[in-house]
Amino acid sequence: MAAAPASSSWAPSTVNAGPGEEQAASRASRWRVVPKYVPQLLPVGRAPEQGLQVKTILAARTISSVFPEIKNMGGVRPDAKPWHPRGLAIDVMIPNPSSAAGIALGNEIVAFALKNADRFALQDCIWRGTYYTPSGPSGSGYGHYDHVHITTHGGGYPRGGEVYIR
């Protein structure tokens, strides 16, 4: 049986960690582990963000990034219901909404929003007359045949310096 090597190329060495500080380190400490998934900063998307709450902004920016075919989104506006005026909702305008491709795109956006319900603090989506919640379809959605309406629970208004990550 062979004897164990007397020294290893991975033996600890002394590294200067700062002025007057020394600590043990191995040569392996020079390697940097990079995660397989590297988060990406989300740029401002298609929705006007003034007055939107943070989870609504996150949903809008993520949808803008994942679905580049979306060219227009609505956000805060006067309405009898509180969701748009309070920055809790966006309207994702679907190009050619009555075409097969438009319907498929709207369906895909609803599915994407529901898949990310926890991340977006999703309350609901409305698309083509159906009201969807994270627990499943739940009755009539009163229209919404040209856009997907997405409502979040908000998360509060931005204070400045927020970072939105994909």
Side-chain angles (χ1 to χ4, degrees):
M1 195 165 203
S7 68
S8 166
S9 62
W10 294 102
S13 61
T14 301
V15 192
N16 193 357
E21 296 180 8
E22 290 187 349
Q23 64 185 24
S26 71
R27 292 182 189 179
S29 68
R30 289 186 239 163
W31 293 93
R32 200 175 85 184
V33 177
V34 179
K36 184 176 181 179
Y37 169 76
V38 179
Q40 298 173 345
L41 292 179
L42 289 167
V44 173
R46 298 290 182 178
E49 295 181 354
Q50 183 68 35
L52 292 180
Q53 294 196 32
V54 294
K55 293 296 186 172
T56 315
I57 293 170
L58 177 62
R61 286 187 179 196
T62 304
I63 289 167
S64 293
S65 177
V66 172
F67 299 96
E69 56 269 62
I70 298 301
K71 303 297 181 200
N72 189 17
M73 285 189 203
V76 173
R77 62 175 168 76
D79 194 62
K81 298 189 177 178
W83 299 285
H84 282 289
R86 292 185 185 164
L88 300 170
I90 54 173
D91 290 328
V92 182
M93 306 309 293
I94 305 297
N96 302 311
S98 58
S99 70
I103 293 168
L105 177 60
N107 291 344
E108 193 175 348
I109 290 169
V110 169
F112 179 80
L114 291 170
K115 181 179 177 185
N116 288 280
D118 289 341
R119 189 166 169 248
F120 298 156
L122 186 73
Q123 176 180 305
D124 60 60
C125 297
I126 307 171
W127 170 237
R128 298 190 55 77
T130 304
Y131 180 81
Y132 300 88
T133 67
S135 58
S138 178
S140 174
Y142 307 108
H144 297 83
Y145 286 87
D146 64 346
H147 68 277
V148 176
H149 171 94
I150 296 175
T151 307
T152 74
H153 290 288
Y157 294 100
R159 295 182 184 180
E162 285 80 11
V163 174
Y164 299 94
I165 298 175
R166 181 173 179 189

